[in-house]
Amino acid sequence: MTDNAQHALWNGLAGQAWVQAQSLLDGMFAPFARLLAQAQPAGAVQQVLDIGCGTGAVSLAIAARLGSGGHCTGVDIAAAMIERARQRARDAGLEVDFVVADAQRHAFAPASVDRIVSRFGVMFFDDPVQAFTRLRHATRHGGSLHALTWRSAAENAFMTTAERAAAPMLTLPARDPDAPGQFAFADPDRVRAILTDSGWTELQLTAIDVPCQIPRRDLRTYISLLGPVGSALRSADIDAATRARVLAAVEQAFAPFVEGDSVRFTAACWEVRASAG
Ligand SMILES: C[S@@+](CC[C@H](N)C(=O)[O-])C[C@H]1O[C@@H](n2cnc3c(N)ncnc32)[C@H](O)[C@@H]1O
């Protein structure tokens, strides 16, 4: 997929889905927002940049933690997601800047940032070395990177349950582990090479296994909106009967994750830290 394809994806079906499912996803990924916010020194006079900030949960959590002395800016390629993030900042009375930009190509002011954070927003660059070099130039000497990314699809069965169940009924795009996408940072050697080639130092990749959940009542919404199956189910090409069959089969496939009123899974991720030293 080219950068234009990522731009189109996140300004199209994927971005719309993330806006529509914002509260569901923020509940699901709340442990990751907490992890990034709690690592933020409270009240620090720091400039923080949230890459691929989406609808803004992490930026808002960091801004609340920083207070008036520091400042957080969220950057995302998807205009609708940034619009939602801005609305949320206004509603929360928080001063956060949200910028619509491609973080790989954006001209960030040099040495203007103390800390770069990201919750699942840095795996979509078609030239990750260009992106991480720019992000390093944006970071002041001694500043840091703290990003959360997914480990492999094999270690994250929940994330591919829908497409495996739907595969006999739908033609879905193949997942290419080396192409921009959810699992593009699964291989730790690849991540280390990208960061080293971009000039980052003191790399630390820590495997973390994080319990996540959504309410059982939200499972159908999750399936209908998100990932490749969600996109296929919302496409104009699918007829009502196939849609109903796919939904039923996929919902059934999630049965092993249902516990009472909740759907629970463990997210297998990398906590990536580096220094702009
Ligand atoms: C999986 S979502 C995560 C969103 C958000 N960080 C969260 O946790 O809710 C990935 C985000 O990366 C954004 N993104 C993808 N490519 C980007 C790029 N080149 N520059 C900036 N944002 C990008 C997408 O628009 C999307 O909002």
Side-chain angles (χ1 to χ4, degrees):
M1 226 183 227
T2 66
D3 52 305
N4 283 340
Q6 287 295 320
H7 183 277
L9 179 74
W10 290 105
N11 282 285
L13 283 176
Q16 287 159 19
W18 274 69
V19 170
Q20 227 175 310
Q22 175 246 306
S23 69
L24 187 168
L25 288 165
D26 280 343
M28 188 179 208
F29 295 139
F32 298 100
R34 273 198 296 277
L35 191 161
L36 291 170
Q38 284 170 2
Q40 178 64 52
V45 183
Q46 286 192 340
Q47 300 294 320
V48 180
L49 193 57
D50 178 10
I51 298 298
C53 65
T55 54
V58 168
S59 301
L60 297 177
I62 297 264
R65 183 100 172 147
L66 284 168
S68 55
H71 188 78
C72 185
T73 301
V75 176
D76 202 281
I77 202 167
M81 291 172 85
I82 288 288
E83 197 181 310
R84 170 64 65 90
R86 287 180 180 145
Q87 185 58 53
R88 294 177 76 192
R90 281 194 292 274
D91 292 347
L94 287 167
E95 283 204 20
V96 187
D97 282 328
F98 286 107
V99 179
V100 180
D102 177 346
Q104 180 181 319
R105 296 169 179 81
H106 187 64
F108 295 103
S112 57
V113 172
D114 297 286
R115 182 168 181 243
I116 292 183
V117 296
S118 183
R119 179 177 78 174
F120 307 137
V122 294
M123 303 89 75
F124 305 96
F125 304 124
D126 61 289
D127 185 343
V129 171
Q130 180 189 22
F132 278 95
T133 301
R134 275 184 184 261
L135 294 177
R136 184 178 57 77
H137 286 313
T139 309
R140 69 161 176 75
H141 185 72
S144 63
L145 168 73
H146 191 183
L148 303 172
T149 68
W150 293 96
R151 302 210 307 276
S152 66
E155 290 167 283
N156 283 290
F158 180 90
M159 286 292 155
T160 50
T161 293
E163 57 212 75
R164 278 181 281 117
M169 292 166 272
L170 292 178
T171 307
L172 296 167
R175 296 247 194 193
D176 175 352
D178 291 327
Q182 181 177 10
F183 298 111
F185 273 33
D187 176 356
D189 292 335
R190 179 164 188 264
V191 178
R192 283 189 197 99
I194 289 168
L195 292 176
T196 302
D197 291 350
S198 312
W200 291 88
T201 59
E202 299 174 51
L203 312 185
Q204 282 178 40
L205 266 73
T206 309
I208 56 171
D209 295 294
V210 180
C212 297
Q213 60 175 302
I214 59 172
R216 168 75 182 85
R217 65 173 181 278
D218 287 345
L219 180 59
R220 190 162 267 245
T221 306
Y222 177 82
I223 295 167
S224 311
L225 285 175
L226 293 153
V229 172
S231 295
L233 289 175
R234 282 178 298 141
S235 102
D237 302 336
I238 187 166
D239 61 83
T242 309
R243 188 174 190 282
R245 267 195 308 131
V246 170
L247 262 177
V250 171
E251 210 165 352
Q252 181 58 36
F254 276 104
F257 299 99
V258 175
E259 287 179 38
D261 290 341
S262 300
V263 179
R264 295 174 191 272
F265 67 100
T266 300
C269 298
W270 292 116
E271 183 176 11
V272 180
R273 289 174 177 274
S275 169

mmCIF file with all atom_site columns, all heavy atoms in Angstrom, residues 34-61:
data_model
loop_
_atom_site.group_PDB
_atom_site.id
_atom_site.type_symbol
_atom_site.label_atom_id
_atom_site.label_alt_id
_atom_site.label_comp_id
_atom_site.label_asym_id
_atom_site.label_entity_id
_atom_site.label_seq_id
_atom_site.pdbx_PDB_ins_code
_atom_site.Cartn_x
_atom_site.Cartn_y
_atom_site.Cartn_z
_atom_site.occupancy
_atom_site.B_iso_or_equiv
_atom_site.pdbx_formal_charge
_atom_site.auth_seq_id
_atom_site.auth_comp_id
_atom_site.auth_asym_id
_atom_site.auth_atom_id
_atom_site.pdbx_PDB_model_num
ATOM 1   N N   . ARG A 1 34 ? -3.304  4.765  29.695 1.00 0.00 ? 34 ARG A N   1
ATOM 2   C CA  . ARG A 1 34 ? -2.810  4.915  31.090 1.00 0.00 ? 34 ARG A CA  1
ATOM 3   C C   . ARG A 1 34 ? -1.307  4.728  31.136 1.00 0.00 ? 34 ARG A C   1
ATOM 4   O O   . ARG A 1 34 ? -0.591  5.492  31.777 1.00 0.00 ? 34 ARG A O   1
ATOM 5   C CB  . ARG A 1 34 ? -3.481  3.876  32.002 1.00 0.00 ? 34 ARG A CB  1
ATOM 6   C CG  . ARG A 1 34 ? -4.806  4.346  32.571 1.00 0.00 ? 34 ARG A CG  1
ATOM 7   C CD  . ARG A 1 34 ? -5.208  3.501  33.778 1.00 0.00 ? 34 ARG A CD  1
ATOM 8   N NE  . ARG A 1 34 ? -5.448  2.104  33.434 1.00 0.00 ? 34 ARG A NE  1
ATOM 9   C CZ  . ARG A 1 34 ? -6.593  1.651  32.933 1.00 0.00 ? 34 ARG A CZ  1
ATOM 10  N NH1 . ARG A 1 34 ? -7.604  2.468  32.725 1.00 0.00 ? 34 ARG A NH1 1
ATOM 11  N NH2 . ARG A 1 34 ? -6.739  0.365  32.642 1.00 0.00 ? 34 ARG A NH2 1
ATOM 12  N N   . LEU A 1 35 ? -0.815  3.705  30.418 1.00 0.00 ? 35 LEU A N   1
ATOM 13  C CA  . LEU A 1 35 ? 0.625   3.414  30.436 1.00 0.00 ? 35 LEU A CA  1
ATOM 14  C C   . LEU A 1 35 ? 1.427   4.639  29.952 1.00 0.00 ? 35 LEU A C   1
ATOM 15  O O   . LEU A 1 35 ? 2.399   5.054  30.590 1.00 0.00 ? 35 LEU A O   1
ATOM 16  C CB  . LEU A 1 35 ? 0.884   2.202  29.540 1.00 0.00 ? 35 LEU A CB  1
ATOM 17  C CG  . LEU A 1 35 ? 2.238   1.520  29.560 1.00 0.00 ? 35 LEU A CG  1
ATOM 18  C CD1 . LEU A 1 35 ? 2.111   0.122  28.967 1.00 0.00 ? 35 LEU A CD1 1
ATOM 19  C CD2 . LEU A 1 35 ? 3.308   2.283  28.836 1.00 0.00 ? 35 LEU A CD2 1
ATOM 20  N N   . LEU A 1 36 ? 0.977   5.220  28.837 1.00 0.00 ? 36 LEU A N   1
ATOM 21  C CA  . LEU A 1 36 ? 1.724   6.370  28.283 1.00 0.00 ? 36 LEU A CA  1
ATOM 22  C C   . LEU A 1 36 ? 1.574   7.600  29.176 1.00 0.00 ? 36 LEU A C   1
ATOM 23  O O   . LEU A 1 36 ? 2.529   8.355  29.369 1.00 0.00 ? 36 LEU A O   1
ATOM 24  C CB  . LEU A 1 36 ? 1.240   6.680  26.865 1.00 0.00 ? 36 LEU A CB  1
ATOM 25  C CG  . LEU A 1 36 ? 1.605   5.627  25.814 1.00 0.00 ? 36 LEU A CG  1
ATOM 26  C CD1 . LEU A 1 36 ? 0.880   5.907  24.494 1.00 0.00 ? 36 LEU A CD1 1
ATOM 27  C CD2 . LEU A 1 36 ? 3.116   5.581  25.572 1.00 0.00 ? 36 LEU A CD2 1
ATOM 28  N N   . ALA A 1 37 ? 0.376   7.801  29.740 1.00 0.00 ? 37 ALA A N   1
ATOM 29  C CA  . ALA A 1 37 ? 0.167   8.992  30.574 1.00 0.00 ? 37 ALA A CA  1
ATOM 30  C C   . ALA A 1 37 ? 0.923   8.871  31.895 1.00 0.00 ? 37 ALA A C   1
ATOM 31  O O   . ALA A 1 37 ? 1.511   9.841  32.373 1.00 0.00 ? 37 ALA A O   1
ATOM 32  C CB  . ALA A 1 37 ? -1.324  9.201  30.817 1.00 0.00 ? 37 ALA A CB  1
ATOM 33  N N   . GLN A 1 38 ? 0.912   7.654  32.467 1.00 0.00 ? 38 GLN A N   1
ATOM 34  C CA  . GLN A 1 38 ? 1.582   7.511  33.772 1.00 0.00 ? 38 GLN A CA  1
ATOM 35  C C   . GLN A 1 38 ? 3.099   7.615  33.650 1.00 0.00 ? 38 GLN A C   1
ATOM 36  O O   . GLN A 1 38 ? 3.782   7.947  34.610 1.00 0.00 ? 38 GLN A O   1
ATOM 37  C CB  . GLN A 1 38 ? 1.166   6.194  34.436 1.00 0.00 ? 38 GLN A CB  1
ATOM 38  C CG  . GLN A 1 38 ? -0.237  6.313  35.019 1.00 0.00 ? 38 GLN A CG  1
ATOM 39  C CD  . GLN A 1 38 ? -0.833  4.995  35.481 1.00 0.00 ? 38 GLN A CD  1
ATOM 40  O OE1 . GLN A 1 38 ? -0.195  3.939  35.423 1.00 0.00 ? 38 GLN A OE1 1
ATOM 41  N NE2 . GLN A 1 38 ? -2.083  5.050  35.920 1.00 0.00 ? 38 GLN A NE2 1
ATOM 42  N N   . ALA A 1 39 ? 3.610   7.350  32.452 1.00 0.00 ? 39 ALA A N   1
ATOM 43  C CA  . ALA A 1 39 ? 5.056   7.513  32.244 1.00 0.00 ? 39 ALA A CA  1
ATOM 44  C C   . ALA A 1 39 ? 5.423   8.986  32.060 1.00 0.00 ? 39 ALA A C   1
ATOM 45  O O   . ALA A 1 39 ? 6.603   9.336  31.994 1.00 0.00 ? 39 ALA A O   1
ATOM 46  C CB  . ALA A 1 39 ? 5.499   6.715  31.024 1.00 0.00 ? 39 ALA A CB  1
ATOM 47  N N   . GLN A 1 40 ? 4.401   9.830  31.946 1.00 0.00 ? 40 GLN A N   1
ATOM 48  C CA  . GLN A 1 40 ? 4.642   11.262 31.745 1.00 0.00 ? 40 GLN A CA  1
ATOM 49  C C   . GLN A 1 40 ? 4.853   11.930 33.104 1.00 0.00 ? 40 GLN A C   1
ATOM 50  O O   . GLN A 1 40 ? 3.950   11.895 33.939 1.00 0.00 ? 40 GLN A O   1
ATOM 51  C CB  . GLN A 1 40 ? 3.414   11.907 31.062 1.00 0.00 ? 40 GLN A CB  1
ATOM 52  C CG  . GLN A 1 40 ? 3.525   13.391 30.853 1.00 0.00 ? 40 GLN A CG  1
ATOM 53  C CD  . GLN A 1 40 ? 4.651   13.735 29.898 1.00 0.00 ? 40 GLN A CD  1
ATOM 54  O OE1 . GLN A 1 40 ? 4.724   13.196 28.814 1.00 0.00 ? 40 GLN A OE1 1
ATOM 55  N NE2 . GLN A 1 40 ? 5.532   14.611 30.335 1.00 0.00 ? 40 GLN A NE2 1
ATOM 56  N N   . PRO A 1 41 ? 6.027   12.526 33.338 1.00 0.00 ? 41 PRO A N   1
ATOM 57  C CA  . PRO A 1 41 ? 6.203   13.216 34.623 1.00 0.00 ? 41 PRO A CA  1
ATOM 58  C C   . PRO A 1 41 ? 5.119   14.282 34.805 1.00 0.00 ? 41 PRO A C   1
ATOM 59  O O   . PRO A 1 41 ? 4.958   15.164 33.955 1.00 0.00 ? 41 PRO A O   1
ATOM 60  C CB  . PRO A 1 41 ? 7.597   13.851 34.507 1.00 0.00 ? 41 PRO A CB  1
ATOM 61  C CG  . PRO A 1 41 ? 8.292   13.070 33.436 1.00 0.00 ? 41 PRO A CG  1
ATOM 62  C CD  . PRO A 1 41 ? 7.217   12.598 32.488 1.00 0.00 ? 41 PRO A CD  1
ATOM 63  N N   . ALA A 1 42 ? 4.350   14.160 35.907 1.00 0.00 ? 42 ALA A N   1
ATOM 64  C CA  . ALA A 1 42 ? 3.226   15.080 36.135 1.00 0.00 ? 42 ALA A CA  1
ATOM 65  C C   . ALA A 1 42 ? 3.751   16.498 36.300 1.00 0.00 ? 42 ALA A C   1
ATOM 66  O O   . ALA A 1 42 ? 4.764   16.735 36.957 1.00 0.00 ? 42 ALA A O   1
ATOM 67  C CB  . ALA A 1 42 ? 2.445   14.652 37.368 1.00 0.00 ? 42 ALA A CB  1
ATOM 68  N N   . GLY A 1 43 ? 3.073   17.445 35.669 1.00 0.00 ? 43 GLY A N   1
ATOM 69  C CA  . GLY A 1 43 ? 3.418   18.858 35.828 1.00 0.00 ? 43 GLY A CA  1
ATOM 70  C C   . GLY A 1 43 ? 4.707   19.265 35.127 1.00 0.00 ? 43 GLY A C   1
ATOM 71  O O   . GLY A 1 43 ? 5.189   20.397 35.320 1.00 0.00 ? 43 GLY A O   1
ATOM 72  N N   . ALA A 1 44 ? 5.275   18.369 34.326 1.00 0.00 ? 44 ALA A N   1
ATOM 73  C CA  . ALA A 1 44 ? 6.558   18.688 33.674 1.00 0.00 ? 44 ALA A CA  1
ATOM 74  C C   . ALA A 1 44 ? 6.380   19.827 32.660 1.00 0.00 ? 44 ALA A C   1
ATOM 75  O O   . ALA A 1 44 ? 5.345   19.920 31.993 1.00 0.00 ? 44 ALA A O   1
ATOM 76  C CB  . ALA A 1 44 ? 7.103   17.456 32.966 1.00 0.00 ? 44 ALA A CB  1
ATOM 77  N N   . VAL A 1 45 ? 7.395   20.661 32.565 1.00 0.00 ? 45 VAL A N   1
ATOM 78  C CA  . VAL A 1 45 ? 7.372   21.736 31.563 1.00 0.00 ? 45 VAL A CA  1
ATOM 79  C C   . VAL A 1 45 ? 7.938   21.131 30.285 1.00 0.00 ? 45 VAL A C   1
ATOM 80  O O   . VAL A 1 45 ? 9.104   21.290 29.958 1.00 0.00 ? 45 VAL A O   1
ATOM 81  C CB  . VAL A 1 45 ? 8.196   22.941 32.044 1.00 0.00 ? 45 VAL A CB  1
ATOM 82  C CG1 . VAL A 1 45 ? 8.100   24.085 31.037 1.00 0.00 ? 45 VAL A CG1 1
ATOM 83  C CG2 . VAL A 1 45 ? 7.696   23.403 33.399 1.00 0.00 ? 45 VAL A CG2 1
ATOM 84  N N   . GLN A 1 46 ? 7.097   20.387 29.611 1.00 0.00 ? 46 GLN A N   1
ATOM 85  C CA  . GLN A 1 46 ? 7.576   19.635 28.442 1.00 0.00 ? 46 GLN A CA  1
ATOM 86  C C   . GLN A 1 46 ? 6.637   19.828 27.265 1.00 0.00 ? 46 GLN A C   1
ATOM 87  O O   . GLN A 1 46 ? 5.434   20.057 27.434 1.00 0.00 ? 46 GLN A O   1
ATOM 88  C CB  . GLN A 1 46 ? 7.624   18.133 28.779 1.00 0.00 ? 46 GLN A CB  1
ATOM 89  C CG  . GLN A 1 46 ? 8.761   17.743 29.684 1.00 0.00 ? 46 GLN A CG  1
ATOM 90  C CD  . GLN A 1 46 ? 8.934   16.224 29.735 1.00 0.00 ? 46 GLN A CD  1
ATOM 91  O OE1 . GLN A 1 46 ? 8.027   15.462 29.417 1.00 0.00 ? 46 GLN A OE1 1
ATOM 92  N NE2 . GLN A 1 46 ? 10.119  15.796 30.134 1.00 0.00 ? 46 GLN A NE2 1
ATOM 93  N N   . GLN A 1 47 ? 7.216   19.688 26.086 1.00 0.00 ? 47 GLN A N   1
ATOM 94  C CA  . GLN A 1 47 ? 6.443   19.656 24.842 1.00 0.00 ? 47 GLN A CA  1
ATOM 95  C C   . GLN A 1 47 ? 6.352   18.198 24.413 1.00 0.00 ? 47 GLN A C   1
ATOM 96  O O   . GLN A 1 47 ? 7.389   17.542 24.235 1.00 0.00 ? 47 GLN A O   1
ATOM 97  C CB  . GLN A 1 47 ? 7.164   20.463 23.745 1.00 0.00 ? 47 GLN A CB  1
ATOM 98  C CG  . GLN A 1 47 ? 7.387   21.923 24.088 1.00 0.00 ? 47 GLN A CG  1
ATOM 99  C CD  . GLN A 1 47 ? 6.087   22.700 24.188 1.00 0.00 ? 47 GLN A CD  1
ATOM 100 O OE1 . GLN A 1 47 ? 5.171   22.487 23.389 1.00 0.00 ? 47 GLN A OE1 1
ATOM 101 N NE2 . GLN A 1 47 ? 5.986   23.567 25.184 1.00 0.00 ? 47 GLN A NE2 1
ATOM 102 N N   . VAL A 1 48 ? 5.135   17.717 24.269 1.00 0.00 ? 48 VAL A N   1
ATOM 103 C CA  . VAL A 1 48 ? 4.934   16.301 23.910 1.00 0.00 ? 48 VAL A CA  1
ATOM 104 C C   . VAL A 1 48 ? 4.200   16.235 22.574 1.00 0.00 ? 48 VAL A C   1
ATOM 105 O O   . VAL A 1 48 ? 3.284   17.024 22.315 1.00 0.00 ? 48 VAL A O   1
ATOM 106 C CB  . VAL A 1 48 ? 4.126   15.568 25.010 1.00 0.00 ? 48 VAL A CB  1
ATOM 107 C CG1 . VAL A 1 48 ? 3.912   14.098 24.644 1.00 0.00 ? 48 VAL A CG1 1
ATOM 108 C CG2 . VAL A 1 48 ? 4.834   15.686 26.357 1.00 0.00 ? 48 VAL A CG2 1
ATOM 109 N N   . LEU A 1 49 ? 4.613   15.287 21.750 1.00 0.00 ? 49 LEU A N   1
ATOM 110 C CA  . LEU A 1 49 ? 4.008   15.098 20.423 1.00 0.00 ? 49 LEU A CA  1
ATOM 111 C C   . LEU A 1 49 ? 3.423   13.689 20.380 1.00 0.00 ? 49 LEU A C   1
ATOM 112 O O   . LEU A 1 49 ? 4.132   12.721 20.659 1.00 0.00 ? 49 LEU A O   1
ATOM 113 C CB  . LEU A 1 49 ? 5.117   15.245 19.382 1.00 0.00 ? 49 LEU A CB  1
ATOM 114 C CG  . LEU A 1 49 ? 4.783   15.391 17.915 1.00 0.00 ? 49 LEU A CG  1
ATOM 115 C CD1 . LEU A 1 49 ? 3.860   16.576 17.661 1.00 0.00 ? 49 LEU A CD1 1
ATOM 116 C CD2 . LEU A 1 49 ? 6.098   15.574 17.121 1.00 0.00 ? 49 LEU A CD2 1
ATOM 117 N N   . ASP A 1 50 ? 2.136   13.588 20.038 1.00 0.00 ? 50 ASP A N   1
ATOM 118 C CA  . ASP A 1 50 ? 1.451   12.289 19.957 1.00 0.00 ? 50 ASP A CA  1
ATOM 119 C C   . ASP A 1 50 ? 1.254   11.967 18.472 1.00 0.00 ? 50 ASP A C   1
ATOM 120 O O   . ASP A 1 50 ? 0.481   12.627 17.784 1.00 0.00 ? 50 ASP A O   1
ATOM 121 C CB  . ASP A 1 50 ? 0.105   12.402 20.702 1.00 0.00 ? 50 ASP A CB  1
ATOM 122 C CG  . ASP A 1 50 ? -0.722  11.118 20.654 1.00 0.00 ? 50 ASP A CG  1
ATOM 123 O OD1 . ASP A 1 50 ? -0.195  10.076 20.223 1.00 0.00 ? 50 ASP A OD1 1
ATOM 124 O OD2 . ASP A 1 50 ? -1.900  11.179 21.071 1.00 0.00 ? 50 ASP A OD2 1
ATOM 125 N N   . ILE A 1 51 ? 1.954   10.939 18.006 1.00 0.00 ? 51 ILE A N   1
ATOM 126 C CA  . ILE A 1 51 ? 1.950   10.628 16.569 1.00 0.00 ? 51 ILE A CA  1
ATOM 127 C C   . ILE A 1 51 ? 0.829   9.631  16.232 1.00 0.00 ? 51 ILE A C   1
ATOM 128 O O   . ILE A 1 51 ? 0.693   8.607  16.877 1.00 0.00 ? 51 ILE A O   1
ATOM 129 C CB  . ILE A 1 51 ? 3.320   10.043 16.149 1.00 0.00 ? 51 ILE A CB  1
ATOM 130 C CG1 . ILE A 1 51 ? 4.423   11.063 16.392 1.00 0.00 ? 51 ILE A CG1 1
ATOM 131 C CG2 . ILE A 1 51 ? 3.305   9.601  14.686 1.00 0.00 ? 51 ILE A CG2 1
ATOM 132 C CD1 . ILE A 1 51 ? 4.288   12.355 15.603 1.00 0.00 ? 51 ILE A CD1 1
ATOM 133 N N   . GLY A 1 52 ? 0.083   9.969  15.171 1.00 0.00 ? 52 GLY A N   1
ATOM 134 C CA  . GLY A 1 52 ? -1.069  9.138  14.797 1.00 0.00 ? 52 GLY A CA  1
ATOM 135 C C   . GLY A 1 52 ? -2.076  9.152  15.939 1.00 0.00 ? 52 GLY A C   1
ATOM 136 O O   . GLY A 1 52 ? -2.573  8.115  16.359 1.00 0.00 ? 52 GLY A O   1
ATOM 137 N N   . CYS A 1 53 ? -2.387  10.370 16.400 1.00 0.00 ? 53 CYS A N   1
ATOM 138 C CA  . CYS A 1 53 ? -3.154  10.544 17.656 1.00 0.00 ? 53 CYS A CA  1
ATOM 139 C C   . CYS A 1 53 ? -4.606  10.137 17.514 1.00 0.00 ? 53 CYS A C   1
ATOM 140 O O   . CYS A 1 53 ? -5.304  9.993  18.524 1.00 0.00 ? 53 CYS A O   1
ATOM 141 C CB  . CYS A 1 53 ? -3.069  11.993 18.121 1.00 0.00 ? 53 CYS A CB  1
ATOM 142 S SG  . CYS A 1 53 ? -3.867  13.145 16.962 1.00 0.00 ? 53 CYS A SG  1
ATOM 143 N N   . GLY A 1 54 ? -5.096  9.994  16.284 1.00 0.00 ? 54 GLY A N   1
ATOM 144 C CA  . GLY A 1 54 ? -6.492  9.591  16.090 1.00 0.00 ? 54 GLY A CA  1
ATOM 145 C C   . GLY A 1 54 ? -7.453  10.562 16.742 1.00 0.00 ? 54 GLY A C   1
ATOM 146 O O   . GLY A 1 54 ? -7.310  11.782 16.606 1.00 0.00 ? 54 GLY A O   1
ATOM 147 N N   . THR A 1 55 ? -8.416  10.025 17.483 1.00 0.00 ? 55 THR A N   1
ATOM 148 C CA  . THR A 1 55 ? -9.441  10.871 18.100 1.00 0.00 ? 55 THR A CA  1
ATOM 149 C C   . THR A 1 55 ? -8.982  11.441 19.438 1.00 0.00 ? 55 THR A C   1
ATOM 150 O O   . THR A 1 55 ? -9.785  12.020 20.172 1.00 0.00 ? 55 THR A O   1
ATOM 151 C CB  . THR A 1 55 ? -10.758 10.097 18.271 1.00 0.00 ? 55 THR A CB  1
ATOM 152 O OG1 . THR A 1 55 ? -10.476 8.895  18.992 1.00 0.00 ? 55 THR A OG1 1
ATOM 153 C CG2 . THR A 1 55 ? -11.368 9.734  16.924 1.00 0.00 ? 55 THR A CG2 1
ATOM 154 N N   . GLY A 1 56 ? -7.708  11.263 19.777 1.00 0.00 ? 56 GLY A N   1
ATOM 155 C CA  . GLY A 1 56 ? -7.078  12.108 20.790 1.00 0.00 ? 56 GLY A CA  1
ATOM 156 C C   . GLY A 1 56 ? -6.979  11.599 22.208 1.00 0.00 ? 56 GLY A C   1
ATOM 157 O O   . GLY A 1 56 ? -6.507  12.336 23.087 1.00 0.00 ? 56 GLY A O   1
ATOM 158 N N   . ALA A 1 57 ? -7.368  10.353 22.489 1.00 0.00 ? 57 ALA A N   1
ATOM 159 C CA  . ALA A 1 57 ? -7.398  9.892  23.892 1.00 0.00 ? 57 ALA A CA  1
ATOM 160 C C   . ALA A 1 57 ? -6.056  10.074 24.599 1.00 0.00 ? 57 ALA A C   1
ATOM 161 O O   . ALA A 1 57 ? -6.006  10.556 25.733 1.00 0.00 ? 57 ALA A O   1
ATOM 162 C CB  . ALA A 1 57 ? -7.820  8.434  23.950 1.00 0.00 ? 57 ALA A CB  1
ATOM 163 N N   . VAL A 1 58 ? -4.979  9.694  23.927 1.00 0.00 ? 58 VAL A N   1
ATOM 164 C CA  . VAL A 1 58 ? -3.664  9.769  24.585 1.00 0.00 ? 58 VAL A CA  1
ATOM 165 C C   . VAL A 1 58 ? -3.241  11.227 24.745 1.00 0.00 ? 58 VAL A C   1
ATOM 166 O O   . VAL A 1 58 ? -2.750  11.634 25.805 1.00 0.00 ? 58 VAL A O   1
ATOM 167 C CB  . VAL A 1 58 ? -2.615  8.953  23.798 1.00 0.00 ? 58 VAL A CB  1
ATOM 168 C CG1 . VAL A 1 58 ? -1.202  9.254  24.270 1.00 0.00 ? 58 VAL A CG1 1
ATOM 169 C CG2 . VAL A 1 58 ? -2.921  7.474  23.925 1.00 0.00 ? 58 VAL A CG2 1
ATOM 170 N N   . SER A 1 59 ? -3.453  12.045 23.717 1.00 0.00 ? 59 SER A N   1
ATOM 171 C CA  . SER A 1 59 ? -3.089  13.469 23.818 1.00 0.00 ? 59 SER A CA  1
ATOM 172 C C   . SER A 1 59 ? -3.814  14.122 24.993 1.00 0.00 ? 59 SER A C   1
ATOM 173 O O   . SER A 1 59 ? -3.218  14.902 25.744 1.00 0.00 ? 59 SER A O   1
ATOM 174 C CB  . SER A 1 59 ? -3.468  14.226 22.544 1.00 0.00 ? 59 SER A CB  1
ATOM 175 O OG  . SER A 1 59 ? -2.832  13.696 21.422 1.00 0.00 ? 59 SER A OG  1
ATOM 176 N N   . LEU A 1 60 ? -5.091  13.802 25.146 1.00 0.00 ? 60 LEU A N   1
ATOM 177 C CA  . LEU A 1 60 ? -5.871  14.411 26.230 1.00 0.00 ? 60 LEU A CA  1
ATOM 178 C C   . LEU A 1 60 ? -5.352  13.938 27.588 1.00 0.00 ? 60 LEU A C   1
ATOM 179 O O   . LEU A 1 60 ? -5.226  14.737 28.521 1.00 0.00 ? 60 LEU A O   1
ATOM 180 C CB  . LEU A 1 60 ? -7.354  14.066 26.077 1.00 0.00 ? 60 LEU A CB  1
ATOM 181 C CG  . LEU A 1 60 ? -8.035  14.586 24.800 1.00 0.00 ? 60 LEU A CG  1
ATOM 182 C CD1 . LEU A 1 60 ? -9.482  14.117 24.734 1.00 0.00 ? 60 LEU A CD1 1
ATOM 183 C CD2 . LEU A 1 60 ? -7.985  16.105 24.722 1.00 0.00 ? 60 LEU A CD2 1
ATOM 184 N N   . ALA A 1 61 ? -5.042  12.653 27.684 1.00 0.00 ? 61 ALA A N   1
ATOM 185 C CA  . ALA A 1 61 ? -4.529  12.120 28.956 1.00 0.00 ? 61 ALA A CA  1
ATOM 186 C C   . ALA A 1 61 ? -3.176  12.748 29.299 1.00 0.00 ? 61 ALA A C   1
ATOM 187 O O   . ALA A 1 61 ? -2.900  13.081 30.452 1.00 0.00 ? 61 ALA A O   1
ATOM 188 C CB  . ALA A 1 61 ? -4.412  10.597 28.879 1.00 0.00 ? 61 ALA A CB  1
#
